[in-house]
Structures are given as structure tokens and as C-alpha cells.
Amino acid sequence: MADPVIEQFRAANAGLSKLVRDELAGFFGTLDLAKPEAVRDALLEFVPLLVSEYGPVAESLALDYYEEMRAASGASGAFRAMAGAGGIPTGAVESKVRYLAGQLWTPDPASMLGGLLSAVDKYVKQPGRDAVSYNAKREGVAWARVPTGAKTCAFCLVLASRDAVFHSKQSAGDRRGTGKGDAFHGDCDCSVVRISKASDYPKGYLPDNYYDMYTSATDDNSPEVAAFLESLPPGDKNKQLKAAVFSMRRNFPNAVKDGVHTH
């Protein structure tokens, strides 16, 4: 794999993310936070439009990126990357805005902006991520979640340990079947990479190392982890994933950027 292709796509996404964040922050700055109902209603109108405007841009970037990955891989045969499922449903965006809008009735209403920026970043990038996984499935190849930068967060490292075996959302969970392998958080800079053969693996992507850390974390029966598990709602279907992330942050604090040093 030609790593410059991945870096170029990452940089293009970063530019798109900055554009979207700046537009949202600028709009938020025009609102009168002393009128929370009016702010909420304005955001319920503006944010879904912002996501629907820029999500297709992310998708278009991803389609070009997929074609470039195929070329760099030396793939032969006729294949054209196509747009897949639609973007984030408007109802989901509105629901998130309503949830975050609760902060408008607190002593610090401006705190809503941080969560909103993170959520919109995730929503705008998702169509691009979906486009890569969709076309990998069409082509019959795999895709992998590849962290970027010197360090990534524990959540992304756990999911990156899955290696290049993602063929669908159903198979995208971690090795213990949490079903969260295709989950991304706001401000996530992980790349989604097409993998058809060993040479497609980007330099520095070490899924076996990540999986060793993940396995150690899932085997952690310390009192701290037990207490954390006990604090989660009984019906939480992702307890195991959350416990692994919790443990990894503490057992490998220097390997992840959100590490917790307990000693």
C-alpha cells in the first residue's frame, strides 16, 4: 500500500472537518444563549442541514480514495467505487441535538458546543467510512481500521486489534462479538483502509500487538475492573468492550493517548 494515499485522504478529511467545525462554531456564536428554547430550535434546523451538506463531500472524497487504494495495490479488473447507503438519518442528528441541548439550561450553556462539534464531526465523516467498507464488500476484499499518529485512544486501539477482516457491519465487532467494530467517535482520525493482500497493510499498523494488549485487558480480573463493570447498567451490551478499554488505559498508559497512570 502506498501510505501517501492514506495520508492524503487523512489530510483531506482533516480539512473538511475544520471547515465544518468552523461553520458550526460560527453559527453557534451568533445565538443568544439567554434564550435556550430559541437556540435549541435554531440548532435543530441548522445542524441536520450542515450534516446533509458535508456528508456527501466526505463520501465523494472516500470514493476517490478507494480508487486510489486499488491502483496503489495493483488491483486489476473492472471495478468502480460506488456510493452506498445514505448518510446519518436526520432523526438521529436531531435526537443528538436535543440531548446536548439540555446543557443550554445550565449555568454554562456554552458547554453544549464542545459535544456538538464532536458529534457533527462524526456524522459528517461517517458516509466516507461507510463508502470504503461498502465497496470492499462489493469487491470481495477486506478493510481495516488503522490508527494514525504516534498514539491513538484505547477505544480505537481495541477496535484496530480486529485486523483486516471487516466485510460487513455484522462482522465488524471485536473478536468477542461486541458488534462495535464499525463504531467511530467524534474527532476520530482513524483511517479505513482497503486490504486485499499482505502488502496493502500500512507501515506501523500492528494488529497483532494491539490484539496482545486487548487480550491482556480482557483477562484483567482486578478489583478496579470488577468495580467498573459493576457500575455499568445491567443491560449494557457492550460491557466487555468498555471494560477492555478501561483496563487498557491503566495497564498500557504509555501506549494510548488517553492512558491513566495509577502509580
Side-chain angles (χ1 to χ4, degrees):
M1 168 60 65
D3 288 350
V5 172
I6 300 173
E7 174 55 27
Q8 183 179 16
F9 180 62
R10 188 206 63 77
N13 265 313
L16 177 62
S17 178
K18 183 179 186 306
L19 177 66
V20 172
R21 291 172 67 91
D22 287 349
E23 189 167 334
L24 177 55
F27 179 77
F28 192 87
T30 67
L31 302 175
D32 183 357
L33 299 184
K35 300 177 179 179
E37 293 91 349
V39 173
R40 178 200 59 206
D41 292 346
L43 290 171
L44 281 170
E45 181 177 351
F46 180 81
V47 175
L49 289 175
L50 190 67
V51 172
S52 66
E53 177 181 358
Y54 288 106
V57 177
E59 184 177 60
S60 178
L61 289 172
L63 294 177
D64 289 342
Y65 165 60
Y66 195 91
E67 297 281 4
E68 290 168 3
M69 281 192 292
R70 286 193 83 247
S73 177
S76 60
F79 182 87
R80 184 175 182 82
M82 298 172 55
I88 304 297
T90 298
V93 179
E94 291 176 343
S95 179
K96 187 67 172 181
V97 172
R98 289 184 184 279
Y99 171 75
L100 293 172
Q103 297 172 72
L104 296 172
W105 280 266
T106 70
D108 184 20
S111 63
M112 179 189 181
L113 179 59
L116 201 57
L117 290 170
S118 181
V120 169
D121 180 81
K122 173 183 174 179
Y123 294 153
V124 166
K125 289 177 180 175
Q126 194 60 49
R129 291 162 173 154
D130 288 344
V132 175
S133 61
Y134 172 71
N135 282 285
K137 183 178 180 180
R138 285 182 60 231
E139 193 182 2
V141 299
W143 63 273
R145 180 195 189 107
V146 177
T148 62
K151 294 181 181 180
T152 192
C153 71
F155 176 79
C156 290
L157 203 62
V158 165
L159 298 182
S161 76
R162 185 67 173 99
D163 203 347
V165 294
F166 299 143
H167 290 282
S168 70
K169 289 188 175 182
Q170 287 70 36
S171 65
D174 69 66
R175 294 178 193 261
R176 303 295 180 87
T178 64
K180 281 291 185 179
D182 60 341
F184 292 85
H185 57 80
D187 306 314
C188 178
D189 57 3
C190 286
S191 296
V192 181
V193 180
R194 173 190 178 277
I195 305 288
S196 63
K197 58 184 185 302
S199 60
D200 289 339
Y201 281 81
K203 295 176 182 176
Y205 175 52
L206 306 169
D208 288 341
N209 290 13
Y210 305 155
Y211 187 58
D212 287 344
M213 287 190 282
Y214 167 70
T215 300
S216 175
T218 58
D219 291 339
D220 186 352
N221 296 314
S222 68
E224 262 193 319
V225 172
F228 173 74
L229 282 168
E230 188 65 26
S231 72
L232 297 175
D236 193 329
K237 296 180 180 179
N238 297 303
K239 280 188 174 185
Q240 191 172 51
L241 174 62
K242 292 177 180 178
V245 171
F246 178 90
S247 174
M248 190 176 287
R249 286 171 178 158
R250 287 153 180 78
N251 290 330
F252 304 98
N254 296 321
V256 294
K257 64 184 180 183
D258 54 348
V260 176
H261 293 269
T262 58
H263 302 295

